[in-house]
Amino acid sequence: MYIPKPLEDKITIPHLKKLKQQGEKFASLTAYDYSFARLVEECGVEVVLVGDSLGMVIQGHDTTIPVTLDDIRYHGKAVAAGLENAMLMLDMPFGSVNSPQQALDNASELIKQTEAQVVKLEGWESQLQTVETLAHFGIATCAHLGLQPQMVHKMGGYSVQGKAKSAAERMLATAVDLQGAGADILLLECVPASLATKITAELEIPVIGIGAGPDVDGQILVLQDVLNVTVGKKPKFSKNFMQGQPSIQSAISRYVQEVKRGKFPDKTHIFS
Ligand code: KIV
């Protein structure tokens, strides 16, 4: 049985940067409601994301595309009510960041209504100006590279990104540019572990990975995957932390401890 280790301090961007500098890993998870937000924080999860994955795991859609700003606002408020010290990050849903001005208006409203600390946005070079604008107006951002679920129709499915040399070079260059534009965190989804290692070493900002190998600064998973209640095929990068555990609390604490000790992800969860 794993014993929860609650957070002692408020988690901020400087706090995550310090962890990166000290080589200490941090744990992130998605949550979509008050009860689970409380529970994941009690177990020591530093960053809680209200992800647009809620479109799939809460609403039962096939993709994240139908998720609206109202959905993120609703779940964001519920999660915020459950958090005291963990960092609250909200996903900007499909169609809500199509221009810097639209992103600024939408992110400002969401932050006011939920008191989230960070907004996360998918997008490549196209988001440089948006990240810069948000930074200019004091909004902390997490840029999201690699697999971009909001582009599923353009990509024709979900697949590992950055395998070809040119794609890897483009991702590294874009990551550096996003940091230069003012991004505070980078999230890498489904990229070869060696590329994630390189990007993490190159950047000063913390890098969170999902399917990005063990060398990123923090890991994130979808809560349903951790608790083994995922419907359908389980992603290769996830792990059933409920296995052998007597309670949900013990399973989430195990996830946090395995991330911090560098035990998760292991070679069965990574892409090359
Ligand atoms: O929406 C989400 O939950 C995410 C994670 C997969 C990182 O973006």
Side-chain angles (χ1 to χ4, degrees):
M1 167 161 167
Y2 287 77
I3 310 293
K5 288 205 184 107
L7 299 171
E8 284 167 11
D9 299 313
K10 182 84 191 152
I11 305 298
T12 59
I13 301 278
H15 184 106
L16 295 182
K17 276 194 178 155
K18 196 166 160 207
L19 291 180
K20 176 177 180 122
Q21 284 156 5
Q22 294 171 341
E24 284 180 44
K25 306 281 181 203
F26 58 90
S28 320
L29 265 185
T30 64
Y32 315 97
D33 66 28
Y34 167 77
S35 310
F36 275 108
R38 279 194 70 140
L39 191 66
V40 302
E41 168 159 335
E42 262 170 39
C43 295
V45 170
E46 279 110 335
V47 181
V48 178
L49 170 69
V50 177
D52 61 359
S53 50
L54 71 86
M56 297 166 87
V57 299
I58 302 291
Q59 298 173 332
H61 296 295
D62 289 339
T63 71
T64 61
I65 290 175
V67 175
T68 64
L69 270 176
D70 281 343
D71 294 332
I72 298 288
R73 184 179 298 118
Y74 174 86
H75 290 279
K77 282 183 178 176
V79 169
L83 299 184
E84 204 177 315
N85 285 331
M87 174 179 283
L88 173 58
M89 187 190 289
L90 302 183
D91 242 341
M92 297 304 294
F94 180 77
S96 68
V97 289
N98 288 347
S99 71
Q101 188 60 51
Q102 189 199 25
L104 181 62
D105 293 343
N106 287 334
S108 305
E109 277 310 300
L110 270 186
I111 286 173
K112 257 194 234 175
Q113 291 156 347
T114 61
E115 297 187 64
Q117 288 145 280
V118 183
V119 291
K120 175 167 87 56
L121 51 155
E122 294 184 18
W124 290 77
E125 296 87 348
S126 60
Q127 291 302 7
L128 283 171
Q129 221 193 318
T130 298
V131 166
E132 201 167 59
T133 302
L134 295 183
H136 183 74
F137 287 98
I139 296 178
T141 54
C142 172
H144 180 152
L145 292 178
L147 173 61
Q148 314 238 329
Q150 290 176 12
M151 294 190 193
V152 58
H153 297 313
K154 188 88 184 140
M155 295 187 307
Y158 300 107
S159 56
V160 180
Q161 302 293 306
K163 283 174 101 165
K165 191 164 175 262
S166 58
E169 284 168 0
R170 177 183 169 207
M171 202 183 300
L172 176 59
T174 310
V176 170
D177 289 347
L178 284 163
Q179 173 176 268
D184 299 277
I185 301 175
L186 176 71
L187 186 140
L188 292 176
E189 179 164 354
C190 292
V191 304
S194 56
L195 175 59
T197 302
K198 209 165 167 183
I199 294 175
T200 305
E202 192 74 28
L203 297 188
E204 283 168 21
I205 58 173
V207 177
I208 303 179
I210 176 162
D215 295 331
V216 289
D217 304 304
Q219 298 289 335
I220 188 162
L221 285 177
V222 169
L223 182 62
Q224 276 70 3
D225 291 340
V226 167
L227 302 182
N228 198 34
V229 292
T230 316
V231 177
K233 196 172 165 237
K234 314 273 183 281
K236 173 183 162 83
F237 55 73
S238 73
K239 175 170 168 176
N240 168 14
F241 283 91
M242 281 302 287
Q243 194 166 28
Q245 296 310 308
S247 66
I248 288 177
Q249 208 183 31
S250 182
I252 297 173
S253 302
R254 176 180 166 205
Y255 164 67
V256 173
Q257 287 174 37
E258 287 199 8
V259 167
K260 289 190 175 293
R261 289 176 190 160
K263 275 188 73 189
F264 175 80
D266 67 29
K267 60 180 186 322
T268 63
H269 308 113
I270 67 177
F271 302 106
S272 49

